Amino acid sequence: MTNLPSATEKKLGLAIDLDTCVGCHACVISCKEWNTSNYGAPLSDVDAYGASPVGTFLNRVHTFEIKADNRPAQTLHFPKSCLHCEDAPCVTVCPTGASYKRTQDGIVLVNEDDCMGCGLCAWACPYGAREMDAEAGIMKKCTLCVDRIYNENIPEEDRVPSCVRTCPAGARHFGDFADPDSNVSRLSAERGGVELMAAQKTRPVNRYLPPRPKADVTGDGQIDIPNPFLEAKNQTAKGFLGWLDKALEKI
Amino acid sequence: MSLSSQPQLDTSPDVSDEIRHTTCYMCACRCGINVHMKNGKVKYIEGNKDHPVNKGVLCAKGSAGIMQHYSPARLKAPMKRVGPRGSGQFEEISWEEAMETAVSWLAPLRKEAPEKLAFFTGRDQSQSMTGWWAQAYGTPNYAAHGGFCSVNMAAAGIYTMGGAFWEFGAPDWEHTRLFMIFGVAEDHDSNPIKMGIGRLKERGAKIIGVNPIRSGYNAVADEWVGITPGTDGLFILAIIHELLKAGKVDLDYLVRYTNAPFLVNDDPESKDYGLFLRGRNNKPQVMDRKTGKPVAFDRKGVTPDLVKTHKAKGSTWRPVFQLLAEKYLSEENAAENVAGRCGVSADTIRRIAAELAHVAFEEEITIDQPWTDWKGQKHDKMIGRPVSFHAMRGISAHSNGFQTCRALHMLQILLGSVEVPGGFRFKPTYPKPVEAHPAPHCKVTPGAPLDGPHLGYPRGPEDLCLAEDGSAARIDKAFTWDNPLSAHGMMHMVISNAHAGDPYKIDTLFMYMANMSWNSSMNSAGVMQMLTDRDESGEYVIPRIIYSDAYSSEMVAYADLILPDTTYLERHDCISLLDRPICEADAVADSIRWPVVEPDRDVRCFQSVLIELGARLGLPGMVNEDGSPTYKDYADYIQNHERRPGVGPLAGFRGKDGTGKGRGEPNPNQIQAYIDNGGFWIDHIPPEAAYYKPWNAAYQDWAVERGLYDKPQPYLFQLYVEPLARFQRAARGHGDIQPPEHLRQHILENMEPLPSWRPPFEDTAVDTEEYPFHALTQRPAAMYHSWGSQNAWLRQIHGANPLYVSGEIFARYGFKDGDWAWVTSRHGRIKVPVVRMDALNANTVWTWNAIGKRAGAWALDEKAPEATRGFLLNHLISELLPPKKDGMRWSNSDPVTGQAAWFDLRVKIERADPGNGVSQPHAPTQKSPVGQGPDTIAYGGDLK
Amino acid sequence: MYPAPSVILFTSLSGIGFGLLAWLGTGHPAVTYLTAFTFFFLAYGLAVGGLLASVFHLGNKINAFKAFSQWRSSWLSREGIMAVASLLVMAPYAIGEIFFGQQWPLFGWLGAAGAVTTVFTTSMIYTQMQTVPRWNSPLTPVLFLLYALGGGALLAGQTGVAMLLLIALGLVQALNWYLGDGAFAAAGHTLETATGMAGLGRMRLLEPPHSSPNYLMKEMVFVVGRKHVRKLRMISMVLLVLLPVLILLLAPAAHVLVGIAVLSHLAGVFVARWLFFAQAEHVVGLYYDMR
Ligand SMILES: Nc1nc2c(c(=O)[nH]1)N[C@H]1C(S)=C(S)[C@@H](COP(=O)(O)OP(=O)(O)OC[C@H]3O[C@@H](n4cnc5c(=O)[nH]c(N)nc54)[C@H](O)[C@@H]3O)O[C@H]1N2
Ligand SMILES: Nc1nc2c(c(=O)[nH]1)N[C@H]1C(S)=C(S)[C@@H](COP(=O)(O)OP(=O)(O)OC[C@H]3O[C@@H](n4cnc5c(=O)[nH]c(N)nc54)[C@H](O)[C@@H]3O)O[C@H]1N2
Ligand code: SF4
Ligand code: SF4
Ligand code: SF4
Ligand code: SF4
Ligand code: SF4
Ligand SMILES: [Mo]
């Protein structure tokens, strides 16, 4: 199973909108919460109340700062989970066949019954999307909530990943990138969705929608809005009252 | 191996045995949650899609509820202290012994001197109940946390427009096109704001964030204004200056809906200087443009003037708007003249003013929805100005916060963007003018209830809470000349005043859900000292402390008697219209919590305990004539208590048949009806009542029907706040109730009826050359004050907090990654790790709030990063200002409302030797009354 | 990368073990009976011991046997198969030498080829990692083979060829360090490409995702100080090549000294292998701004 399917029927994945993500970590915890008691072994927390707690998470949010000349520095929240790559190196390196990419929908999964916990797949993933669970000794990764998205025991509208359902800002979108008309394909096309580390040739399915250009300016004199609206009609209070008197007539 | 041999997955596993709908309490946002139960345990918590607050989404804290509910820090049984205060040594006792002990302390006090009980509650959501209890007990010393939280925002909003930002209103997310957000990291409306911002992004609306720190909402804002802390008032007034100069104000709106035309006495010699001209019925007068005569403002058909000066009764009377224009058109408010102090360029100020004007007046929106105003005039459309604002503690937690918040409301009103499509909208039970609120009460009669509700909105000096001799009637000195409009009390002063015996000594301090020895106090080390100080006789200076907490917090160690509460999943609660409900701008709504899990420890819902305590004390309303308890427990109270006939804690499903909305007799099946309905009740406002609520006849009638008011109460927005002028009047020597001499000037300066800006007190009290930097805190989205640190999942995100230092400061002091710094204020000194941040106001440093923990608290290892590297900024903040020339020390609060001025703090910084890598000060380890959490958890393995 | 002792042991020991087997299989030296037993005991001991050590690294050992299943795509799987196959094929050869005093060259040469291939497959586990530019180079297999054959030759007492191989090893190792130091930059991965946010400005990490460490950071974001690297490289070069070559050159017959040369070489291998892992920069470190 470590061979990759030459093509998958669907390419399910996430479009993550960095223009909207406020970095609240809701997706991080919701993911942990869903996955710890669903697919496979629980996501453990070692030294949970101690000096150096280390837990398994399938989705984490980094915060970066971007500095360019002549504009104030910018903060960027950056959630990261498995990108369900088309050429997933994590799959081909796996010696046991535990890692595989589903032919139906392209989801990359670890079949925990087969995993021997060698960690090689985590080495092969450029994005840090795989974490070995210290308690179970088994490789964990984002399942794209495969046990939610088709789950007939939950209402149809809830058949989306836990992180998508919970995101308060609506920054996470789930859909089929193989379908050019899907919500995610359209969003990605409109907003110039990017691949991460394209040079790694992993062909990630997930797309990141870059932040829209900021309106910030530091330099003075850059008034880009129709300023006639601020044309000073009334330099003094007296003048103002005169204007007011006239304006009131019109009401 | 062929690809078809991919594993067969069960993609439809059973999620849970049952879903129970209740209300989250990982913070005060009150989102609806679906608690999935499996094998009797909580398996998964998700947002309730039908719920008005969160519509299905959930924040990190909410999703981490499992870890809170099963936290090892949960208290297990009532306890009495056996070691010295602060040591953490306790002995578990029975509930009977706990109740008897409490009664033996409280019963004699009530007979002799009820004020010797100070009962203060934290961020609970049962203030209508706890306040009712305290009133029945008879102590004047009751309040909740609002005084240290954001009372500036609440009071400024209510005095100005009958409702505040906070969680009492929201932008019209569906229509607004330009949204400005001032000083917000999270707010109480955490999820709704995030959802709203997401919606604005979807719609392509512009967001401007005004905040010294560019994180969270400011990170996604299209434009960031990295303002200098404490100067928003200047910035806002400059925008107003520019708008006035350009005539970009909504005159029609001002004339109709505000007191802009009211005539004000402008004769400094007159004893009524600053007050409104009033006619018969005491109604404020306006000038009718048609007749040129003053008439009652609400006379039908009047077209009020905003310009003309009027001479009458030997004085000059001028319309509010004239005073306003004069004040803000003055050059001191010009963009150029404030730019330097604000750290915002004059061009930016002008451009933002221009954008506001452009969107408000050129992109006006209309909704085809006829409506009728309170004067009976019909309108065929709803017209709106799609600019909206939101603000929170960034502007309110300063000592100039009240006036800054007022200034912002003035800006909103001048733009005509409150309660209109695209603007800011109130959530029922607001709008509600000052007149609809009680005034504060403080009259004590031993053995009897207080003369009325404790908290309220003073209309003038006569409403202050003063003893005969003019001293403070309340232990927190709320509603005194120092802080006349302290509408939420001043919880942050209770411990230090009680310790000082000023204004008097108390006997028992009874607190609930507030970590007062730690993160909710200024000067935390000092407070710990005050709580453990003994007098000459060896007794504690504050003799008795009763505390209710659910977890092993820092405060637990300082109490004598612990009443352990349940977790939020184990108890009944109501999020009531009498308190802080879950309404949306389009609907009235309230909700409940109910025990979706039964407690497995000897703990009890605090409100039930309070009700039983009340019954044992024989408090009126809590015992029947035969002396038996009126209410079995809190659930019984929620269902059967009536505040006014037909109006009780829950508004939904009232009446015997459960059809009553807002009004109706108690329904014995009400709680079940809520449970069946998903844990909440909602009733939508009819479309014709959706906007213009203060002046909309349909809304007013609907609100009366729903029991929000007993009669329609349309009102006008108060650009000019006359109650403030009444205090100034007294300060000028008029009237019977007079301020002490040393406060006259203070009152005159700070209680201006038209908003103005003054520098934060700390800026004038310390040498700003010596303490050049501003130091702030922010709430992390994934942590709730101190109570998230016991949470195994959340503490991995925020287990320690660095001090973020602006790139400029970082470079100037030669800091490198991994460095430590000494940070010193006029009050204290801390040693902390630093991290560089460029997206930060150049003169500012900040950290996440309340991450630092005392070693031994919260069932954490004493070496936990929270206790070693984590720290509190609170050690640098004093509850008092430096002594004045006359030796007086004023509280470090807003002079109008008493709001704790957390963000006025000035500091200096220097590089420090990291030493052992432990932040300083480091409080000694306490003993954990609940032991320590397990090493490893792997939750949910048994819940597949 | 985290220099896990089990993995250092595994690659170092099994490398030398298979190297020794390769020499033995080709009859260098051609030994019999007790001597053969000693040599094969050593060779098998190193190879199998190394393999066992690698099993210690596994989180879920009960599934270790499944590692043989994915030879079509996985170098680790291939390595497992090759290792076992070589050891099996070499067995009759060893039996012949030990018990019958006979060389059965077919098994010997096949086994030797298998042993070399095993080392190659091991090296490919690392070489294939595009995520670790320092490893992702044709020099990696060359290096691994030189380690195995050089060390093997030393153990096999092939003084002349050992000297040559060790010198070659020293040169290739030095080249590998030199090229490796520039490999990450040459691969062109930056925080901007990692986030896809090129063109917005200079990026840096403001706040890591969690204040707590995690598996990724421990496993893949291991950082060693430059100062230590230089020192360790020198030490390893001395132990790995210089000292053994000097001994072989000056006192090729002194048993004790040759023993020291072997131990010195082994120690050098450990240090170099520690560096091989510890210095390897994984691209995921970009997200932690630790590259
Ligand atoms: N430096 C600085 N300090 C600040 C602020 C700041 O911005 N900067 N903000 C201030 C503000 S606005 C506030 S509101 C305060 C908040 O400060 P606190 O009100 O002290 O807030 P918490 O830390 O949440 O603590 C509340 C206590 O309630 C307990 N608790 C939690 N759940 C339950 C329950 O179900 N039942 C009971 N009985 N107890 C429970 C917790 O264990 C904890 O001990 O902090 C203030 N302090
Ligand atoms: N996740 C989470 N949510 C919470 C809480 C929590 O602890 N965690 N606490 C709840 C409570 S009790 C409260 S009171 C609310 C408070 O909600 P917020 O008001 O959002 O709370 P703060 O974190 O104090 O945020 C203050 C913001 O103001 C900025 N600021 C400081 N000084 C100035 C200034 O002079 N001008 C401007 N423009 N900005 C300034 C700070 O940078 C910061 O971003 O949050 C509630 N919600
Ligand atoms: S939940 Fe949404 S907004 Fe919050 S961090 Fe995740 S993606 Fe960003
Ligand atoms: S992101 Fe990483 S784990 Fe996911 S498919 Fe791609 S390489 Fe594999
Ligand atoms: S850790 Fe498990 S899934 Fe990953 S490569 Fe090894 S066996 Fe395969
Ligand atoms: S899709 Fe599911 S598993 Fe993947 S990050 Fe989201 S919640 Fe986690
Ligand atoms: S905002 Fe989060 S913690 Fe607060 S009530 Fe909602 S889900 Fe719970
Ligand atoms: Mo607060």
Side-chain angles (χ1 to χ4, degrees), chain B residues 630-848:
Chain B
T630 308
Y631 304 110
K632 196 164 99 303
D633 55 16
Y634 192 36
D636 190 17
Y637 163 92
I638 290 173
Q639 226 164 223
N640 292 310
H641 176 74
E642 284 178 284
R643 205 37 76 87
R644 316 196 299 279
V647 175
L650 289 175
F653 312 109
R654 294 195 69 84
K656 289 270 176 299
D657 60 354
T659 57
K661 299 175 176 180
R663 294 181 186 271
E665 319 163 82
N667 167 5
N669 301 313
Q670 193 183 27
I671 288 181
Q672 192 55 48
Y674 271 77
I675 293 173
D676 296 340
N677 195 50
F680 66 95
W681 168 79
I682 187 164
D683 183 37
H684 288 274
I685 299 173
E688 69 274 19
Y691 293 94
Y692 307 103
K693 291 180 194 123
W695 326 290
N696 184 323
Y699 177 79
Q700 295 289 329
D701 293 343
W702 177 86
V704 171
E705 263 172 47
R706 293 296 175 266
L708 305 185
Y709 328 132
D710 286 335
K711 59 176 196 325
Q713 47 182 9
Y715 64 94
L716 299 181
F717 287 165
Q718 307 291 300
L719 289 167
Y720 185 98
V721 175
E722 198 189 28
L724 292 168
R726 296 207 187 101
F727 285 97
Q728 284 189 318
R729 177 177 179 273
R732 272 190 219 95
H734 305 294
D736 303 336
I737 306 170
Q738 285 293 303
E741 284 314 313
H742 73 276
L743 288 176
R744 285 191 193 279
Q745 190 55 29
H746 184 69
I747 303 262
L748 283 174
E749 284 172 4
N750 292 299
M751 307 275 292
E752 287 191 64
L754 282 174
S756 57
W757 183 84
R758 320 197 119 255
F761 283 146
E762 178 130 342
D763 278 9
T764 51
V766 307
D767 180 354
T768 53
E769 307 254 304
E770 188 185 352
Y771 299 103
F773 306 124
H774 302 266
L776 304 175
T777 56
Q778 294 204 97
R779 275 117 178 85
M783 197 49 95
Y784 201 56
H785 296 281
S786 65
W787 83 40
S789 293
Q790 64 189 306
N791 192 297
W793 295 345
L794 298 179
R795 72 183 287 259
Q796 292 181 56
I797 300 178
H798 293 290
N801 52 318
L803 186 78
Y804 290 95
V805 171
S806 77
E808 286 81 354
I809 301 175
F810 206 80
R812 185 169 347 148
Y813 290 83
F815 281 116
K816 287 191 298 296
D817 282 346
D819 271 359
W820 286 62
W822 282 109
V823 185
T824 313
S825 71
R826 63 175 168 91
H827 176 73
R829 193 163 183 250
I830 59 177
K831 192 179 89 175
V832 299
V834 294
V835 165
R836 174 198 179 107
M837 178 173 187
D838 288 306
L840 177 56
N841 174 284
N843 293 314
T844 299
V845 301
W846 71 278
T847 191
W848 295 120

Side-chain angles (χ1 to χ4, degrees), chain C:
Chain C
M1 307 292 291
Y2 173 65
S6 55
V7 178
I8 294 176
L9 275 178
F10 153 57
T11 56
S12 316
L13 297 184
S14 73
I16 294 189
F18 281 106
L20 178 55
L21 278 181
W23 287 112
L24 291 174
T26 56
H28 299 86
V31 279
T32 50
Y33 303 118
L34 200 59
T35 331
F37 173 77
T38 315
F39 270 110
F40 280 104
F41 183 79
L42 188 62
Y44 269 86
L46 287 170
V48 175
L51 289 177
L52 283 180
S54 76
V55 175
F56 278 108
H57 184 66
L58 301 181
N60 191 26
K61 298 172 191 60
I62 50 165
N63 277 343
F65 73 94
K66 295 186 177 166
F68 300 111
S69 68
Q70 303 301 313
W71 50 270
R72 289 186 313 175
S73 74
S74 165
W75 283 105
L76 180 50
S77 199
R78 291 171 191 159
E79 189 233 27
I81 292 165
M82 278 316 297
V84 174
S86 324
L87 291 175
L88 287 179
V89 172
M90 194 60 101
Y93 183 77
I95 289 168
E97 285 202 328
I98 297 169
F99 296 104
F100 304 101
Q102 301 278 323
Q103 267 101 31
W104 296 327
L106 177 67
F107 291 109
W109 281 96
L110 266 180
V116 172
T117 315
T118 304
V119 174
F120 175 72
T121 53
T122 309
S123 74
M124 284 309 290
I125 297 173
Y126 305 100
T127 309
Q128 68 173 338
M129 290 291 163
Q130 292 206 47
T131 49
V132 184
R134 187 184 282 276
W135 292 349
N136 189 220
S137 138
L139 273 192
T140 307
V142 176
L143 201 62
F144 268 66
L145 287 169
L146 283 173
Y147 269 101
L149 293 175
L154 188 61
L155 282 185
Q158 306 299 307
T159 314
V161 64
M163 275 195 292
L164 288 178
L165 284 171
L166 288 188
I167 290 168
L169 170 63
L171 291 174
V172 174
Q173 176 66 79
L175 181 65
N176 173 263
W177 280 334
Y178 173 75
L179 292 177
D181 287 348
F184 198 92
H189 303 300
T190 61
L191 183 47
E192 286 76 18
T193 66
T195 53
M197 295 298 125
L200 292 179
R202 298 174 300 285
M203 277 181 100
R204 55 184 278 269
L205 182 75
L206 180 63
E207 214 175 0
H210 286 60
S211 61
S212 285
N214 62 39
Y215 165 76
L216 299 168
M217 295 167 71
K218 292 188 166 185
E219 183 76 6
M220 278 161 293
V221 197
F222 189 88
V223 216
V224 258
R226 267 177 171 267
K227 233 175 42 208
H228 300 301
V229 166
R230 234 175 292 135
K231 212 183 297 162
L232 288 171
R233 282 181 179 175
M234 298 236 290
I235 293 174
S236 89
M237 212 40 121
V238 169
L239 295 174
L240 190 67
V241 182
L242 235 55
L243 195 60
V245 170
L246 270 180
I247 292 176
L248 293 187
L249 210 59
L250 301 176
H255 272 67
V256 179
L257 283 180
V258 172
I260 290 179
V262 168
L263 290 179
S264 160
H265 176 78
L266 256 184
V269 173
F270 287 139
V271 177
R273 206 42 61 85
W274 188 89
L275 280 171
F276 177 79
F277 289 100
Q279 275 193 278
E281 305 96 337
H282 194 286
V283 292
V284 78
L286 292 170
Y287 294 104
Y288 293 86
D289 220 353
M290 288 170 85
R291 282 291 79 108

Side-chain angles (χ1 to χ4, degrees), chain B residues 514-555:
Chain B
N515 203 1
M516 290 302 287
S517 70
W518 200 248
N519 55 293
S520 42
S521 282
M522 295 173 158
N523 180 19
S524 307
V527 168
M528 286 184 266
Q529 180 67 45
M530 293 173 205
L531 292 171
T532 49
D533 244 9
R534 297 174 193 261
D535 60 19
E536 315 78 57
S537 62
E539 292 298 310
Y540 285 115
V541 173
I542 300 174
R544 288 174 174 141
I545 301 179
I546 308 177
Y547 181 50
S548 168
D549 201 311
Y551 308 101
S552 177
S553 68
E554 283 84 357
M555 185 59 209

Side-chain angles (χ1 to χ4, degrees), chain B residues 27 61 123 145 149-150 166 182-188 190 210-213 215 218 227-232 392-395 398 776-785 849 903:
Chain B
C27 90
K61 296 162 282 145
R123 267 160 316 97
H145 77 294
C149 184
S150 206
W166 204 308
F182 285 73
V184 183
E186 261 297 302
D187 205 347
H188 292 282
S190 319
V210 184
N211 199 309
I213 309 164
S215 63
N218 296 281
I227 197 161
T228 298
T231 65
D232 300 73
M392 204 30 198
R393 293 182 63 257
I395 64 171
H398 286 285
L776 304 175
T777 56
Q778 294 204 97
R779 275 117 178 85
M783 197 49 95
Y784 201 56
H785 296 281
N849 184 44
F903 297 157

